[in-house]
Amino acid sequence: MIGIIGGTGFEKSNIFKNPQVKNIETKYGKPSSPITIGTINDKNVALLSRHGHEHTITPSHVNNRANIEALKLLGCKNIIATTACGSLREEMHPGNFVVLDQFIDFTKHRINTFYDEFKPGEMQHCQMSDPFSESLRNTIIKAAELCNVNIHKSGTMITIEGPRFSTRAESFMFQKWGADLINMSTAPETALANEANIPYAAIAIVTDYDCWKIDEEPVSIEIVLDNFSKSVTKLTEILIKTISIL
């Protein structure tokens, strides 16, 4: 089983053959949405909508532990996430795709681990130097090339709490920290997938230039949704090709 976590604008995606909807309860509560299970090119796939089917769950209230646990209970051996994001770099234009290789967690209020306590003698400190699966990243990059889609092969995502967007001062600060992109979802989702020992990779879809680029209109939800909708067809092609290769 291959898990897909769909982000902003991907809630209504219809990419399955013989879809079925499952309601799953985990020890961490319910995931963000019922999970749609079906096949893509004879591969079993499970799709979860990060913010709910109607995009009603705010970034800080996504039950990331339940989402990852639900996909694990379904037997997912890989997780591919999609995420809309802002660009902090001139060369990463709206409409571009980026396969992430690093993240910075700038969230403040989210549960970022499965470990509420350690068992005696069993401290669990998850190694996180390279948080995204290199094998899965390379498969996505290969899939994009086969689809004739130009893709940035690396990028560092900083995740902010939201739901507000950044101030211009924050946007400049994040650039100086070395972030290439900004969103509200990569952390702690990525860390939890690592703790669950599920290979995880993310495809970021650039929708805006955040607010650092003063000759561009500052980011708004209208801009995000409009630009995401223009990229969703290519994103779907990349996902289908990636799943076919796995």
Side-chain angles (χ1 to χ4, degrees), residues 1-4 16-18 36-47 74-78 243 246:
M1 182 80 73
I2 300 165
I4 298 175
F16 291 120
K17 182 179 180 181
N18 302 319
T36 303
I37 298 174
T39 59
I40 296 176
N41 293 337
D42 297 323
K43 301 287 181 67
N44 293 322
V45 181
L47 172 63
L74 287 171
C76 290
K77 303 302 182 185
N78 295 283
I243 290 164
L246 286 173

Side-chain angles (χ1 to χ4, degrees), residues 1-130:
M1 182 80 73
I2 300 165
I4 298 175
I5 301 178
T8 300
F10 205 69
E11 298 87 358
K12 305 276 194 282
S13 180
N14 182 17
I15 59 176
F16 291 120
K17 182 179 180 181
N18 302 319
Q20 296 180 337
V21 177
K22 283 195 173 184
N23 289 291
I24 295 179
E25 184 81 31
T26 79
K27 59 186 176 182
Y28 304 104
K30 292 182 179 180
S32 295
S33 72
I35 298 176
T36 303
I37 298 174
T39 59
I40 296 176
N41 293 337
D42 297 323
K43 301 287 181 67
N44 293 322
V45 181
L47 172 63
L48 186 154
S49 294
R50 184 183 291 116
H51 298 284
H53 286 160
E54 300 301 326
H55 203 98
T56 55
I57 304 173
T58 65
S60 298
H61 289 89
V62 171
N63 192 340
N64 291 287
R65 293 203 295 184
N67 288 350
I68 298 299
E69 180 71 7
L71 294 177
K72 185 174 183 177
L73 290 173
L74 287 171
C76 290
K77 303 302 182 185
N78 295 283
I79 296 176
I80 303 169
T82 69
T83 178
C85 67
S87 171
L88 299 171
R89 303 296 171 197
E90 181 81 45
E91 66 273 16
M92 293 182 174
H93 307 283
N96 284 181
F97 296 89
V98 186
V99 180
L100 304 180
D101 67 328
Q102 289 290 325
F103 75 86
I104 299 170
D105 186 352
F106 197 62
T107 64
K108 305 176 180 69
H109 306 296
R110 305 181 189 186
I111 300 173
N112 62 4
T113 180
F114 285 114
Y115 299 106
D116 294 324
E117 62 180 6
F118 292 145
K119 296 179 182 179
E122 293 185 17
M123 291 184 294
Q124 298 289 334
H125 296 286
C126 188
Q127 201 271 352
M128 202 73 63
S129 57
D130 296 294

